[in-house]
Amino acid sequence: GEERRTLSKIALTSLSAAVAEMATFPIDIIKTRLQLHGESPHLRAGNALRVASEIWRKGGVLGFSCGLSPAVLRHLFYTPIRIVGYEHLRSAAGADGSLLRKALAGGASGVLAQVVASPADLIKVRMQADSRLLSQGLQPRYAGIFDALTKIIQTEGFLGLWRGVFPNAQRAFLVNMGELTCYDHAKHFIIRKQICEDNAFAHTLASIASGLSATALSCPADVVKTRMMNQASGKKTQTLYRNSYDCLVKTLKFEGIKALWKGFFPTWARLGPWQFVFWVSYEKFRQASGLSSF
C-alpha cells in the first residue's frame, strides 16, 4: 500500500544519495577549504587545483575522504526527508501545481530536512576543516564522528549541534527550491516538448539544469553557512561573526561581493555531478522497484 511505497522511496533515496555522496565527496572537501580561505591571514589564497594538490601531497587518497562518514550519515536523514516530503507536498497541491507552489514545496521540504540533519552537517564541516589542521602538522580537533559529537556537546552544549542552523536552513530552502523545482519542471518540459522520452537522457538534461540553478541561488548562503559552522563558540573563544547577517556584512565589506560566490565552480562541480548521479540512479532504482518515475 501507500506506506510500503513511502518506505521504498525512503530506502531508494538513501541509497542513491550515498552513491552520489561517495562519487563526488573529494570535490566537497576542496569547496569547503576554498570557502574558508580569506578568513585566516597566513593562508595563501588558493585555487581548486592548488588546494587539491596540497590535500593529495599531505594525505594521498585518504586526504580526500576526511569527513565522509558524517557526510553519508547526513544524507540518510536529509535526502529522504526532502525528496519524499517534496513529493507529498507536490501531490497535495494537485497535478496542476504551479511553478510557485512547486518552489515553495521544494523550499519547505528542504528546510525541514536540514533542521533534522544539521548536527551531522556541522560535524562534517568541522572534520573537513580539521584536515587543514593536519596539513599544518597540528593535531585535529576530533578523532571521529562520536568523538566530535561528545566534544561539541561538552563544550558548546546540546544546542551547539545546531550551530549555523539558520544560515543552513536558508541555504537548504534555496538549494531545494532550485534543485527540486527545476528538476521536476525541466524533466516534464523535456518530455512534454517531446525532446526525448522519460529516460536516462531526459534525467541527465534535467539534472544539469537543476544543478546550475541550485548553485547560483545557494552559493552566497553556502559561504556564510561554512564560515558560521566552522567557528566554535565558548566563553574562551573569540568569535569572528555574531550571526549570519554579521558574517554576510563583514564578508561583503572586507572581501567584496564576489566573495559570496567564492567556490562557485567547485560548488557547481560538486552539485552538478551530485545531482546527475543522484537523479539518474534514483530514477533507475524506482523503475527497477516498479515505482512510477519522480
Side-chain angles (χ1 to χ4, degrees):
E2 186 58 40
E3 277 177 20
R4 209 173 125 252
R5 274 210 301 280
T6 302
L7 282 175
S8 311
K9 284 175 189 171
I10 289 172
L12 296 178
T13 42
S14 300
L15 181 63
S16 316
V19 171
E21 195 59 31
M22 287 174 187
T24 59
F25 191 73
I27 310 168
D28 192 40
I29 286 203
I30 295 169
K31 181 203 78 166
T32 300
R33 293 276 196 95
L34 277 171
Q35 286 175 338
L36 295 173
H37 272 294
E39 275 197 340
S40 28
H42 61 269
L43 279 175
R44 289 182 311 161
N47 59 24
L49 275 174
R50 185 188 290 162
V51 172
S53 64
E54 189 185 302
I55 295 170
W56 175 261
R57 205 175 63 245
K58 300 278 169 44
V61 178
L62 287 176
F64 286 101
S65 62
C66 195
L68 178 62
S69 42
V72 172
L73 179 72
R74 168 182 178 254
H75 274 287
L76 298 184
F77 295 103
Y78 179 64
T79 298
I81 295 172
R82 69 195 183 94
I83 303 283
V84 179
Y86 174 77
E87 259 195 289
H88 277 289
L89 288 170
R90 183 180 66 178
S91 56
D96 59 337
S98 66
L99 188 60
L100 179 67
R101 273 190 183 159
K102 281 181 185 171
L104 289 173
S109 55
V111 168
L112 175 66
Q114 185 54 58
V115 171
V116 175
S118 207
D121 203 14
L122 178 83
I123 292 170
K124 181 192 85 164
V125 168
R126 296 267 180 102
M127 282 175 76
Q128 284 180 338
D130 260 9
S131 64
R132 197 178 69 189
L133 292 176
L134 268 176
S135 71
Q136 293 164 7
L138 300 168
Q139 201 51 38
R141 288 177 287 189
Y142 313 113
I145 293 184
F146 294 108
D147 183 48
L149 191 66
T150 47
K151 277 184 182 162
I152 293 168
I153 291 173
Q154 275 166 11
T155 56
E156 301 173 49
F158 183 66
L159 288 177
L161 290 171
W162 274 268
R163 163 164 300 279
V165 72
F166 292 113
N168 232 337
Q170 289 155 8
R171 174 186 173 272
F173 185 89
L174 296 166
V175 166
N176 286 286
M177 187 169 80
E179 179 196 330
L180 300 176
T181 315
C182 187
Y183 179 81
D184 192 7
H185 222 71
K187 189 180 94 167
H188 289 108
F189 176 82
I190 289 163
I191 295 161
R192 202 171 57 244
K193 295 283 181 202
Q194 294 172 343
I195 296 168
C196 61
E197 299 283 298
D198 189 353
N199 57 20
F201 185 56
H203 306 154
T204 301
L205 288 178
S207 72
I208 291 169
S210 87
L212 266 173
S213 65
T215 308
L217 278 169
S218 71
C219 208
D222 199 25
V223 170
V224 172
K225 174 207 107 155
T226 301
R227 292 183 171 197
M228 286 296 291
M229 287 183 121
N230 189 48
Q231 64 171 14
S233 80
K235 294 181 177 57
K236 291 186 283 292
T237 50
Q238 179 66 41
T239 52
L240 207 52
Y241 314 112
R242 285 195 308 279
N243 50 37
S244 49
Y245 178 70
D246 185 44
C247 179
L248 180 72
V249 172
K250 280 184 180 160
T251 305
L252 280 172
K253 188 174 154 191
F254 297 116
E255 299 172 58
I257 192 153
K258 272 164 65 183
L260 293 179
W261 277 271
K262 244 185 193 178
F264 177 87
F265 288 107
T267 303
W268 181 58
R270 155 103 168 110
L271 262 178
W274 199 100
Q275 303 280 356
F276 167 69
V277 176
F278 174 77
W279 286 112
V280 174
S281 52
Y282 183 48
E283 296 272 20
K284 275 273 176 282
F285 288 149
R286 280 179 76 127
Q287 205 181 344
S289 313
L291 289 164
S292 63
S293 116
F294 180 75

